[in-house]
Amino acid sequence: MIARKRIGDILLEEGRITREQLQAALAEQERTGELLGTILFSHGYITQQDLARVLSLAQDEGGNVRATPETVDIPEELESLVKQSSVAFHGDGNFDRKQVDSAQSPLVRLVDEIVVTGIKRNATDIHIGPDTKGTRIRYRIDGSLQHGMYLPKDLLTPIVSRFKIIGQMNIAESRVPQDGGGEFLYRDRRLDLRISSFPLINGENVVARILDKSQLKLGLSNLGFIECDVQQIHGTLKQPYGMILVTGPTGSGKTTTLYSCLTYINTVSRNIFTIEDPVEYQVSLVRQAQVNVKAGLTFASGLRSILRQDPDIILVGEMRDQETAELVVRAALTGHLVFSTLHTNDALSSVFRLFDMGIEPFLISSTLDTIIAQRLVRVLCDYCKVAIHASEVMVGNLRIETATGVIYGAVGCDSCGDTGYRGRTTVYEILKITPAIRDVISRKGSLDEMKREALNSGFRSMFESGLDKVRAGVTSLEEVCAVTKADG
């Protein structure tokens, strides 16, 4: 059998690319998992004609993708849809409403396939945007962006328009950002799409968040909290009043943790209100409101009105400003159990964030009960993870011992899309406000003082939580180090 040459080698021999360009493209392929031909084309190193010709000579990129001068990196079963869509619009940016609003339209069917692909791959977000030579589709899966299709450039505008129609947005407006939302029906499941458009210099960028209520797994144990910590949080939730904060960056699972807490204490005897931006999941019995700045409904104004609705428990989606923070603290001070979030790196720094927002130390110490700081890490694929035998490993200047002498690393297989990971879990830290910590807060003590008192009370950092999951073979050391800061 004669070995087929790789397209990089062919292009290099023909003088179509330089060795430096090939090395740069190979490095990007290693990082992103994209097809090499697509990377070379998208960076302008080769033309569509070069790519179509070289792929006819070499089939080393999976065998299920073909390319022609008109269609680049498109699954074979969708090629006809792409071609029909391109013909319908001629790349002139002018389109018939039927082409973007009719179920029989090739363009509508193409967008449906883009969304369905995201659903099948368990993506949380779909990214559609202009690239140097075409229209790039990417999917955020387990927190990382992964390659989708690379479509002709003239399809960007109609695809964006179709997403705008799904999101009940203005298709005639392309100069300013827009937000919208709509439903998508897939196999008798109704999914919500939260759609955002943003104007760029060479077209519009669209991000569609996929919210599948049927796949929502509530319950702290399901999210990755160990049993002793679940019991500690459940004990906190039984308090009649006080403030509970969940902190972390966008996309760290804060909302799901909050909903899990609400579900645990949600009964007919309790009047629970939320003010959110946006309301992502609806919960039975809970009175949920969504921020509408244009109508004058902000976190602060909504909270003021909620306090006149005889609430027992209140969830404020985010404390974005001093006014909202003060109202949250006052609500906790007047006999309500209040949940909210902050964008901080860890639990301890959340207290100092409240200081910075102008909240009086005595108010914080009187109301704050618990802070949960969290991140999401990817879970190792059970089908391909590999054992790494080591009695100890080094993380920076720290020497981490492993009881079994084994940790696991990512490899990659068909089951996990060659990423080495499937799904995500939570790493976290819980700061319970003890009397000693209240004293530090009330006199506005230093971070070092607060950390010392926290450690004395048994506080364990997010990094330690992550190491527990490494030792258990749930995730890799690289994942934990990527999202948490090593102690010491």
Side-chain angles (χ1 to χ4, degrees):
M1 182 179 292
I2 299 174
R4 296 182 182 273
K5 286 188 176 180
R6 294 177 297 181
I7 66 169
D9 294 333
I10 295 173
L11 291 167
L12 191 62
E13 288 176 4
E14 292 180 347
R16 300 286 181 178
I17 59 174
T18 67
R19 187 165 297 280
E20 289 74 20
Q21 289 172 335
L22 177 58
Q23 289 174 345
L26 287 171
E28 183 170 336
Q29 184 186 44
E30 178 71 21
R31 189 173 65 253
T32 65
E34 283 194 53
L35 302 178
L36 182 63
T38 301
I39 296 170
L40 292 168
F41 170 75
S42 66
H43 284 292
Y45 297 157
I46 59 175
T47 66
Q48 286 184 329
Q49 287 78 9
D50 288 333
L51 182 55
R53 179 182 51 76
V54 79
L55 283 179
S56 69
L57 299 174
Q59 295 293 324
D60 67 330
E61 295 202 84
N64 62 344
V65 175
R66 295 192 298 149
T68 71
E70 291 79 31
T71 61
V72 179
D73 195 12
I74 301 162
E76 187 173 346
E77 62 271 19
L78 296 183
E79 279 193 8
S80 61
L81 279 181
V82 173
K83 289 178 181 177
Q84 292 174 53
S85 300
S86 293
V87 168
F89 295 100
H90 306 293
D92 60 5
N94 298 314
F95 32 79
D96 184 347
R97 178 80 184 201
K98 290 181 181 178
Q99 293 292 338
V100 290
D101 208 12
S102 169
Q104 286 71 44
S105 164
L107 186 280
V108 171
R109 287 157 56 205
L110 175 62
V111 170
D112 285 351
E113 285 296 329
I114 291 171
V115 176
V116 167
T117 298
I119 295 169
K120 288 179 177 178
R121 293 176 65 179
N122 294 317
T124 55
D125 301 89
I126 306 169
H127 290 237
I128 304 101
D131 207 69
T132 52
K133 297 284 185 175
T135 300
R136 186 181 292 276
I137 312 293
R138 293 185 293 176
Y139 297 97
R140 189 171 294 281
I141 301 169
D142 293 334
S144 298
L145 279 175
Q146 296 184 20
H147 176 59
M149 286 182 279
Y150 198 79
L151 301 174
K153 198 168 189 175
D154 61 0
L155 285 180
L156 176 63
T157 299
I159 287 174
V160 168
S161 295
R162 177 57 190 162
F163 272 100
K164 285 183 177 179
I165 286 176
I166 295 173
Q168 304 175 59
M169 298 149 73
N170 183 0
I171 65 171
E173 179 57 78
S174 61
R175 299 166 299 175
V176 297
Q178 295 187 60
D179 294 298
E183 283 191 337
F184 188 89
L185 185 62
Y186 174 67
R187 293 185 177 176
D188 298 325
R189 286 157 55 193
R190 291 192 177 275
L191 297 89
D192 288 334
L193 296 182
R194 302 286 184 186
I195 301 171
S196 170
S197 69
F198 190 84
L200 303 174
I201 58 171
N202 52 350
E204 286 184 273
N205 196 77
V206 163
V207 175
R209 170 152 291 185
I210 303 172
L211 298 172
D212 188 353
K213 299 171 187 175
S214 68
Q215 300 298 306
L216 179 64
K217 293 183 179 179
L218 294 179
L220 296 172
S221 297
N222 292 330
L223 303 182
F225 288 80
I226 61 175
E227 187 57 30
C228 63
D229 292 330
V230 171
Q231 294 305 317
Q232 180 185 353
I233 295 171
H234 283 176
T236 294
L237 297 178
K238 294 175 183 176
Q239 301 297 318
Y241 58 87
M243 182 167 60
I244 299 170
L245 300 180
V246 180
T247 77
T250 301
S252 60
K254 298 189 298 296
T255 299
T256 310
T257 297
L258 285 170
Y259 276 120
S260 295
C261 291
L262 284 186
T263 301
Y264 180 75
I265 55 178
N266 185 18
T267 64
V268 174
S269 63
R270 287 189 169 109
N271 192 18
I272 303 176
F273 271 84
T274 77
I275 177 75
E276 306 168 65
D277 185 22
V279 174
E280 294 190 5
Y281 301 100
Q282 295 183 31
V283 181
S284 177
L285 287 179
V286 177
R287 275 60 177 149
Q288 296 172 269
Q290 185 161 304
V291 166
N292 186 338
V293 177
K294 290 182 180 178
L297 181 57
T298 63
F299 280 121
S301 65
L303 181 52
R304 282 198 188 90
S305 297
I306 286 171
L307 288 170
R308 294 192 287 271
Q309 293 282 309
D310 187 30
D312 298 302
I313 299 163
I314 305 168
L315 186 155
V316 179
E318 185 181 344
M319 290 194 288
R320 294 178 178 171
D321 52 56
Q322 181 178 355
E323 182 183 16
T324 304
E326 285 180 344
L327 287 168
V328 166
V329 171
R330 298 280 179 187
L333 196 62
T334 54
H336 303 90
L337 185 62
V338 187
F339 298 86
S340 194
T341 71
L342 283 173
H343 290 282
T344 56
N345 291 325
D346 53 50
L348 290 165
S349 63
S350 301
V351 175
F352 293 86
R353 174 72 178 126
L354 292 174
F355 289 158
D356 293 339
M357 295 176 80
I359 310 302
E360 292 291 340
F362 79 91
L363 289 175
I364 300 172
S365 65
S366 300
T367 57
L368 188 58
D369 186 278
T370 300
I371 304 173
I372 304 169
Q374 65 181 65
R375 298 283 191 284
L376 294 177
V377 294
R378 293 181 294 174
V379 173
L380 285 165
C381 174
D382 284 331
Y383 293 99
C384 64
K385 66 182 182 182
V386 61
I388 301 170
H389 295 272
S391 59
E392 54 188 28
V393 291
M394 291 295 293
V395 182
N397 295 322
L398 295 177
R399 191 176 299 276
I400 308 302
E401 295 182 359
T402 57
T404 62
V406 175
I407 61 175
Y408 289 84
V411 178
C413 64
D414 290 341
S415 181
C416 60
D418 288 322
T419 64
Y421 300 91
R422 292 185 67 186
R424 290 188 290 177
T425 189
T426 307
V427 293
Y428 59 90
E429 58 190 29
I430 302 171
L431 179 65
K432 181 72 174 178
I433 308 301
T434 63
I437 296 175
R438 290 189 195 284
D439 178 65
V440 177
I441 294 173
S442 63
R443 53 187 172 80
K444 209 171 182 179
S446 68
L447 178 61
D448 286 340
E449 284 184 274
M450 199 175 300
K451 185 175 183 179
R452 185 165 56 249
E453 294 298 343
L455 292 172
N456 288 339
S457 67
F459 173 78
R460 297 178 73 250
S461 72
M462 199 182 308
F463 180 68
E464 292 176 278
S465 167
L467 288 181
D468 286 343
K469 287 182 164 56
V470 171
R471 296 184 184 108
V474 174
T475 191
S476 68
L477 188 60
E478 290 79 9
E479 272 293 292
V480 171
C481 291
V483 300
T484 68
K485 186 179 179 182
D487 302 327

